[in-house]
């Protein structure tokens, strides 16, 4: 074993010091290469400091909340072999964490493992309390999360894996061993025994027989993104109904003249984008994202529009600065992006920068939907099918029954930062703009 001085790493050209948030390894505890030893904060970003090699933490020289200059020795380690690393190699940002080279041999071992080998019988793990009480998910390091994403392992499944680290922390070796053993808790569901305890039963599901279709890369990415979104944002959905008669009648009366004048098809989508952009200007906090304990209210209003690809997968091309464009330009942007999507010609810039997303589920005949938020946004609006039906309306002579074109709108929002008042007010405002459409509008 070799002594190793762990130093406060350099975290940027202008950063001269860092604040120790907390130590994740205690004095005398052992660790493996890549395990996170402590978390460090600067005025710009929080970072994790991984172990340079397997070993033991001998002594910490500073405590939590201490401000330490870059390059100062913060701990004495005993490691399995001498590591000649500079300070920067000890640092991995939470925002840009990638798998390091130490995982490659283990990953190759997993890939080459005999697929027909039966998984061993695991004993039922005992979890002392529910996730909501212990908040065990907060103990997952970026390294663990990165490996889990690589193998499509959810947070619930991570929480079931027996952990051997300090204070019940899941270690890299625990996760790799679990994967190698065939992920025996993959389909297990927690069953409550009492108000403070869960157990994981041994379950076996008959998956049945049928055609096996391997997910393509895009479908895997969509699956990961959707699962991540549901784990990240507590979803709440608000619904309103809109009378679309004025908009429908105007569009039907003007779509031919619009195409003759501008050479662009006039679908409902640019009209929807226009109204949504106006509502966002009225309620700017819906046009936001979450960064830790901060809410970032975006300056630009970039509307993503969920679009089906020929493969059946979904993609979200983006209408940039939608609030600054007239209907002609919006129609041109929407038609161009839709055509690129159909022809698989969307570029990287076409799908970047969305701040709010709409999903026209009515295209497929759906009355309404409960869409999943497109991270890192905080809300997504689903637009249902427009259907004619008899409605009671008010006229000068009193209540009357008339045939109206009606549509349901459903807004899924992130309840961490969007409450019912904001979510409900916003979707109602969108519906108001639809209903109050000017039938005398000139093209």
């Amino acid at each position: 074993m070799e002594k190793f001085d762990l130093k406060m790493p350099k975290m940027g050209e202008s950063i001269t010091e860092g604040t120790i948030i907390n130590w994740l390894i205690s004095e005398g505890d052992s660790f493996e290469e890549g395990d996170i030893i402590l978390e460090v904060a600067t005025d710009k970003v929080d970072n994790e400091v991984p172990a340079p090699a397997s070993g033991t933490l001998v002594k910490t020289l500073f405590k939590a909340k201490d401000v330490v200059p870059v390059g100062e020795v913060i701990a004495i380690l005993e490691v399995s072999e001498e590591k000649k690393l500079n300070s920067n190699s000890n640092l991995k940002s939470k925002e840009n964490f990638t798998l390091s080279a130490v995982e490659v041999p283990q990953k190759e071992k997993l890939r080459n493992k005999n697929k027909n080998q039966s998984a061993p019988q695991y004993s039922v793990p005992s979890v002392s309390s529910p996730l909501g009480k212990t908040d065990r998910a907060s103990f997952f390091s970026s390294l663990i999360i990165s490996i889990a994403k690589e193998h499509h392992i959810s947070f619930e499944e991570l929480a079931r894996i027996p952990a051997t680290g300090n204070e019940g922390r899941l270690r890299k070796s625990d996760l790799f061993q679990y994967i190698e053993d065939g992920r025996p808790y993959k389909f297990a569901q927690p069953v409550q025994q009492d108000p403070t305890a869960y157990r994981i039963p041994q379950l076996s599901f008959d998956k049945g027989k049928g055609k096996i279709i391997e997910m393509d890369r895009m479908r895997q990415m969509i699956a990961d993104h959707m699962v991540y979104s549901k784990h990240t944002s507590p979803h709440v959905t608000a619904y309103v109904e809109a009378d679309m008669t004025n908009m429908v009648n105007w569009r039907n009366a003007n779509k031919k003249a619009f195409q003759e004048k501008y050479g662009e098809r006039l679908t409902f989508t640019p009209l929807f984008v226009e109204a949504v952009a106006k509502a966002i200007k009225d309620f700017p906090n819906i046009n936001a994202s979450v960064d830790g304990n901060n809410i970032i209210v975006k300056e630009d209003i970039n509307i993503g529009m969920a679009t089906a690809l020929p493969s059946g997968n979904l993609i979200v091309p983006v209408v940039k600065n939608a609030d600054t464009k007239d209907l002609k330009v919006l129609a041109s942007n929407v038609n161009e992006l839709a055509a690129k999507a159909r022809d698989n010609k969307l570029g990287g810039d076409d799908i970047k920068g969305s701040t709010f997303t709409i999903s026209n589920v009515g295209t497929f005949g759906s009355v309404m939907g409960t869409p999943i938020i497109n991270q890192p946004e905080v809300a997504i609006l689903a637009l249902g099918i427009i259907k004619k039906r008899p409605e009671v309306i008010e006229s000068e002579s009193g209540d009357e029954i008339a045939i109206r074109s009606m549509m349901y709108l459903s807004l899924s929002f992130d309840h961490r930062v969007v409450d019912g008042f904001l979510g409900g007010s916003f979707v109602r405002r969108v519906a108001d703009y639809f209903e109050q459409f000017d039938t005398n509008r000139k093209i």
Side-chain angles (χ1 to χ4, degrees), residues 118-181:
S118 59
Q121 294 297 317
Y122 265 52
S123 59
V124 177
S126 176
V127 181
S128 59
S129 58
L131 281 177
K133 186 173 181 180
T134 63
D135 195 22
R136 177 169 166 186
S138 65
F139 288 93
F140 297 144
S141 69
S142 293
L143 176 61
I144 293 295
I145 293 173
S146 182
I147 298 171
K149 289 181 70 176
E150 175 83 0
H151 294 278
H152 310 290
I153 298 174
S154 68
F155 285 110
E156 283 94 340
E157 189 177 352
L158 281 177
R160 301 175 186 133
I161 301 172
T164 62
N166 183 41
E167 296 183 353
R169 190 177 182 84
L170 189 66
R171 304 173 70 179
K172 179 184 66 177
S173 58
D174 299 330
L175 181 52
F176 276 134
Q177 184 62 50
Y178 173 75
I179 295 170
E180 188 172 357
D181 289 341

Side-chain angles (χ1 to χ4, degrees), residues 233-302:
S233 300
H235 282 55
V236 176
T237 306
Y239 304 87
V240 299
E241 191 175 22
D243 186 338
M244 306 293 290
T245 306
N246 288 346
M247 181 184 289
V248 170
N249 290 342
W250 182 87
R251 185 245 176 190
N252 289 340
N254 289 277
K255 61 182 180 181
K256 182 177 179 181
F258 189 92
Q259 184 159 8
E260 290 175 350
K261 183 174 182 179
Y262 300 118
E264 298 287 351
R265 291 177 60 247
L266 180 60
T267 64
F268 282 107
T269 302
L271 298 171
F272 294 160
V273 170
E274 181 182 57
V276 168
K278 288 171 64 177
I280 289 175
K281 295 190 76 171
D282 296 338
F283 298 94
N285 286 349
I286 207 78
N287 192 54
S289 62
V290 180
D291 180 18
N293 292 324
N294 297 322
I295 302 171
I296 304 173
V297 180
K298 306 299 180 65
E299 295 178 353
D300 296 330
I301 297 177
N302 301 331

Side-chain angles (χ1 to χ4, degrees), residues 234-238 283 285-286 295 378-379 411-427:
H235 282 55
V236 176
T237 306
F283 298 94
N285 286 349
I286 207 78
I295 302 171
V378 297
L411 180 78
S412 293
F413 54 88
D414 186 338
H415 214 350
R416 294 177 301 170
V417 295
V418 178
D419 57 23
F421 174 78
L422 173 58
S425 299
F426 171 78
V427 69

Side-chain angles (χ1 to χ4, degrees), residues 24 27 31 46 74 94-95 130 190 253 288 343 346 383 399 440 442-443:
L24 303 180
E27 290 183 358
F31 49 81
D46 293 350
I74 55 178
K94 284 184 178 178
E95 297 182 359
D343 297 334
L346 287 170
L383 305 159
D399 291 342
N440 297 315
K442 303 297 182 181
I443 60 172

Side-chain angles (χ1 to χ4, degrees), residues 67-87:
V67 179
V68 184
V70 168
E72 185 81 15
V73 178
I74 55 178
I76 307 297
L77 311 179
E78 276 190 349
V79 296
S80 56
E81 58 181 358
E82 187 175 1
K83 292 285 181 178
K84 297 180 179 179
L85 302 175
N86 59 31
S87 297

